[in-house]
């Protein structure tokens, strides 16, 4: 394909006229398609339906230590759930505590706790003049919303194919005691699908923070969410931190939201004994305990980590063709056109698209005009401001394959039209 | 029965010798009985077991507005759950928001939110020099733990048979802008089982706080938890606040922890539109949504408020004889002895016992010696300090009837022994 930049104004104008015609046709259909959020599809939700019938009314519902899961108690979660989710994130059962239905909620509460009570006895962040977080970007909008909500200053760190720019992170973390945390989605990152390299993980583990209450918020959201048999490999961060003499450096968050049911899964935190004691101290005041019946339901259904991997292969069967459909359409329609690049991840929930500079907002608006909802442009950056206005997160999971094909075509039309306008205006 | 105070030293010493013998006998049994927490018994938990099988793997699991309960979304909870829990606490579905599994967690988060973000736009409490809460006492230890955890100064307010001392509350709330809240369990209060009178509720609703961000934390934990057909009546606080021109004055918290399953129920907050908007603003950052499948499970099982009342009558059948067994033993063994008074509530989970001054800690320790665990003495007061060292919370729900009988007898023995020692020491 000839790069658009090499086309004459006349050629571009002719293309534009043709594309506009196509766009009006598709717009007339009055579609309502959603590629905005990482929501599992109906077909994926069906995979875990048997879980709802796991617990029988005649069951005893005792966990393996004999405690009745139906009653109060057992703040850390039932042992078998700690073992299962521990295996999911490669730690032992005593390194993990089970929480409620949402890891985002646990991350929020962790920041909130640090604001009011500090970290392992440090000064509460709300008493400090300035608190900063590093935000590798593009990243997860809901992470950035949390730090923004608490008035924490966000510092954008560029992403590379091996993870965040570690030179910058090392420099900032070691020199600025106001920097208290960094948001990471280390495996199949949101939105790029990048997995941090071994070197990146090791450099994270070896950080020498100026602030004793600096922590890595390691959101291992997609730890077992592979699309292919050939998987990315992520080094286990807690062990690396331990080896590096930094045992308390990282919090590792996971959940089964995209394994069992979004909103009805279970979340967990893995960390050092000292950090977990800090979590427990707070939790012992905050609640009498989380939903142990749901923990038991999960363990009965998945049985063990092998059962979970088996289940994730079924998710991959549904998701993989969707990712490939988007990637193929992009390649076919704009491959080599020089108006956009995109990632081809081996797992996770997103494809990250980068348009020419200054086009993302217009592309998202254009697609919306024809009934396709994308994640808001800019959302993948702190404060919702993409300095280049080029990144767009594509979430292929929720639509049916037919809807997805149509939505991608509309997206591509929008990219082409906005890019041509941009080139014509230059 | 002759009051112990009127007995001679010789009589008391003779009684003591006999009681000590009895105590040693029972101690030798090596019992392990628990009257410390308001935990439902195994038999009560059995009542809701069919709920676990309500949802079938072939069900569609859509709520009445057609949204799939298995997926993300619907922050406020499903409409049918809002209607059911609204009916439970006498408000309409649009006045209530459904949360996770624990109302305590929601109260904690509400205090936490006020610390970091203020109340409806007020100055965050963490930025103020002093924040105070009024604590009608004896009260619920877990309430007091929350305010203590956040460094909020707690002011004890005495309880009367009609509720907290309203003269004191009116005086303090109207004069001291540092007072930001009051903890209330208005129906079948924890631990006394007192229901606030109509006059008390009206006086709460008419408060004229010096602080605009003062709120009543109305923990309606036992709203439908009656022991008898003849029930206490509690005036609906939100309507009274509205009538009094104070629409934003109160937060009303409820949960189904002692209706369905502790830890696996659903919690909710009812309040004014302005207050609910404040909750939602926070929640929209904190989570993507609560467990809607569990909400649906509850609605399918109870169907409507009538189904819930019917279910609570089954709880009452199990609980009532336990309360009466404790009350009868107390009456038979120490009625008229002048060494203790106790409440005879018509609902809730507790009997409140008041010993002679300065005896509660020793009684609880004595009972523990013989294997009976009571709530820690002092726990029902702020900072765990009962100024008279006399209040003990009795939780009759968890033990079997046989265990309860034995535990009560040991408790009574402990009361007698400690009281005699006290009288002999005078």
């Amino acid at each position: 394909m000839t790069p658009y930049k090499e086309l004459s104004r006349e050629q571009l104008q002719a293309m534009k006229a043709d594309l506009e015609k196509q766009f009006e046709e598709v717009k007339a259909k009055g579609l309502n398609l959603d590629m905005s959020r990482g929501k599992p599809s109906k077909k994926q939700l069906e995979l875990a339906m048997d879980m709802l019938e796991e617990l029988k009314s005649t069951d005893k519902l005792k966990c393996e230590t004999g405690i009745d899961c139906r009653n109060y108690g057992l703040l850390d979660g039932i042992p078998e759930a700690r073992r299962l989710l521990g295996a999911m994130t490669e730690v032992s059962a005593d390194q993990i505590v089970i929480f409620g239905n949402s890891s985002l909620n646990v991350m929020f509460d962790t920041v909130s706790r640090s604001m009011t009570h500090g970290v392992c006895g440090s000064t509460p962040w709300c008493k400090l003049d300035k608190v900063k977080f590093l935000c590798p970007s593009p990243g997860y909008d809901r992470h950035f919303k949390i730090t923004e909500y608490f008035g924490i200053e966000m510092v954008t760190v560029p992403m590379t194919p091996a993870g965040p720019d570690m030179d910058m992170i090392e420099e900032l973390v070691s020199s600025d005691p106001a920097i208290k945390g960094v948001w990471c989605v280390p495996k199949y990152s949101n939105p790029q699908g990048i997995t941090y390299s071994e070197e990146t993980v090791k450099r994270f583990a070896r950080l020498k923070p100026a602030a004793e209450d600096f922590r890595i918020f390691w959101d291992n959201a997609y730890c077992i969410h592979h699309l292919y048999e050939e998987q990315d490999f992520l080094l286990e961060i807690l062990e690396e931190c331990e080896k590096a003499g930094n045992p308390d450096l990282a919090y590792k968050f996971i959940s089964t939201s995209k394994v069992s049911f979004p909103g009805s899964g279970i979340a967990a935190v893995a960390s050092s004994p000292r950090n977990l004691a800090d979590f427990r101290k707070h939790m012992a005041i905050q609640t009498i305990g989380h939903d142990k019946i749901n923990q038991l339901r999960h363990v009965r259904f998945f049985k063990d980590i092998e059962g979970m991997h088996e289940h994730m292969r079924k998710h991959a069967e549904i998701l993989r063709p969707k990712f490939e459909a988007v990637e193929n359409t992009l390649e076919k329609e704009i491959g080599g056109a020089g108006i956009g690049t995109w990632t081809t991840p081996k797992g996770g929930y997103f494809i990250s698209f980068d348009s020419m500079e200054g086009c993302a907002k217009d592309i998202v608006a254009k697609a919306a005009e024809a009934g396709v909802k994308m994640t808001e442009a800019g959302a993948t950056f702190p404060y919702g401001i993409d300095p280049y206005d080029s990144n767009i997160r594509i979430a292929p999971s929720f639509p049916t394959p037919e809807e997805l094909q149509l939505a991608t075509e509309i997206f591509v039309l929008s990219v082409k039209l906005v890019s041509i306008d941009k080139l014509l205006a230059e």
Side-chain angles (χ1 to χ4, degrees), chain A:
Chain A
M1 193 177 297
T2 315
Y4 280 26
K5 274 187 183 168
E6 296 172 15
L7 298 177
S8 68
R9 290 188 71 83
E10 291 65 33
Q11 284 175 306
L12 287 172
Q13 261 150 352
M15 274 180 74
K16 186 181 169 185
D18 183 46
L19 290 165
E20 271 174 347
K21 216 182 118 203
Q22 292 178 42
F23 190 82
E24 288 310 315
E25 277 169 21
V26 76
K27 192 175 153 184
K29 292 187 187 172
L31 299 167
N32 184 11
L33 305 168
D34 195 340
M35 292 206 292
S36 72
R37 306 297 317 176
K39 275 173 86 166
S41 63
K42 197 169 167 298
K43 217 170 157 187
Q44 287 175 269
L45 299 174
E46 299 295 337
L47 296 174
M49 284 303 279
D50 284 346
M51 181 189 289
L52 300 177
E53 293 191 45
E54 274 300 333
L55 305 181
K56 299 295 172 198
S57 62
T58 48
D59 281 2
K60 290 221 180 305
L61 301 196
K62 286 188 175 171
C63 72
E64 60 187 29
T65 44
I67 285 172
D68 193 331
C69 294
R70 301 169 302 181
N71 221 326
Y72 292 120
L74 217 50
L75 200 58
D76 277 5
I78 64 173
E80 48 268 65
R82 296 175 73 190
R83 202 163 53 232
L84 177 65
L85 269 77
M88 185 178 158
T89 190
E90 300 166 278
V91 302
S92 63
D94 60 340
Q95 288 175 285
I96 196 164
V97 167
I98 311 292
F99 285 76
N101 74 323
S102 155
S103 57
L104 189 76
N105 195 328
V106 187
M107 293 178 234
F108 179 99
D109 285 6
T110 304
V111 173
S112 185
R113 183 183 77 232
S114 307
M115 293 300 292
T116 56
H117 289 80
V119 177
C120 294
S122 77
T123 304
W125 295 354
C126 72
K127 301 289 182 200
L128 303 174
D129 289 334
K130 174 81 83 182
V131 176
K132 299 181 194 170
F133 255 59
L134 301 184
C135 301
S137 303
Y140 180 29
D141 57 344
R142 296 299 299 258
H143 286 165
F144 303 157
K145 289 270 184 205
I146 291 174
T147 25
E148 183 175 1
Y149 182 70
F150 284 99
I152 293 170
E153 186 180 314
M154 293 183 280
V155 180
T156 300
V157 174
M159 283 292 289
T160 80
D165 178 338
M166 290 309 296
D167 290 342
M168 184 172 170
I169 287 186
E170 282 166 353
E171 162 67 22
L172 288 169
V173 167
S174 64
S175 63
D176 186 352
I179 295 176
K180 303 298 188 188
V182 54
W183 288 118
C184 295
V185 183
K187 194 161 184 179
Y188 305 132
S189 71
N190 180 350
Q192 295 170 298
I194 288 171
T195 297
Y196 294 9
S197 71
E198 291 195 29
E199 181 57 22
T200 298
V201 177
K202 283 182 176 165
R203 287 177 74 178
F204 264 114
R206 288 185 204 128
L207 283 175
K208 296 283 169 242
E212 53 154 13
D213 50 352
F214 171 87
R215 292 291 182 276
I216 301 167
F217 284 64
W218 199 254
D219 183 0
N220 207 5
Y222 307 109
C223 49
I224 58 171
H225 303 57
H226 315 287
L227 290 170
Y228 297 90
E229 281 301 317
E230 189 203 339
Q231 302 166 1
D232 284 357
F233 171 75
L234 175 71
L235 212 56
E236 202 290 294
I237 182 80
L238 298 180
E239 196 183 335
E240 292 306 314
C241 289
E242 175 80 39
K243 278 190 215 161
N246 274 330
D248 303 324
L249 197 61
Y251 305 134
K252 208 168 165 182
F253 303 93
I254 59 163
S255 87
T256 70
S257 291
K258 291 181 182 83
V259 182
S260 56
F261 297 112
S264 303
I266 51 179
V269 173
S271 201
S272 69
R274 184 160 172 251
N275 283 339
L276 289 186
D278 210 31
F279 275 92
R280 283 190 193 100
K281 213 170 125 183
H282 188 83
M283 192 163 52
I285 307 293
Q286 187 179 26
T287 182
I288 303 181
H290 296 291
D291 185 345
K292 295 188 297 296
I293 293 182
N294 204 31
Q295 293 173 24
L296 192 64
R297 191 179 281 123
H298 276 71
V299 175
R300 294 264 172 100
F301 179 70
F302 292 115
K303 292 186 177 65
D304 53 27
I305 186 63
E306 277 319 308
M308 226 175 209
H309 285 311
E310 184 53 39
H311 189 79
M312 292 313 288
R313 278 190 278 271
K314 296 179 195 163
H315 277 285
E317 294 294 323
I318 299 169
L319 285 170
R320 194 171 51 242
K322 293 188 178 181
F323 276 75
E324 291 179 351
V326 173
E327 290 158 6
N328 292 341
T329 302
L330 287 169
E331 185 56 42
K332 178 171 157 257
E333 295 290 330
I334 60 172
I339 57 171
T341 58
W342 56 93
T343 57
T344 55
K346 291 219 275 293
Y349 262 70
F350 304 103
I351 291 167
S352 179
F353 182 87
D354 279 304
S355 68
M356 294 194 302
E357 273 189 48
C359 291
K361 271 185 197 303
D362 289 344
I363 292 169
V364 169
K366 193 81 192 164
E369 228 183 273
V372 175
K373 194 178 168 195
M374 312 288 303
T375 308
E376 215 182 328
T380 52
F381 284 78
Y383 308 106
I385 301 166
D386 173 357
Y388 306 104
D389 186 24
S390 77
N391 189 251
I392 299 172
R393 186 178 77 167
I394 301 175
S397 58
F398 189 67
T400 62
E402 298 70 31
E403 289 170 340
L404 183 68
Q405 190 56 44
L406 207 52
T408 309
E409 282 162 18
I410 291 169
F411 174 71
V412 164
L413 266 180
S414 306
V415 171
K416 289 179 179 174
L417 277 166
V418 171
S419 304
I420 290 173
D421 274 344
K422 173 90 182 166
L423 290 167
L424 286 172
E426 270 170 6

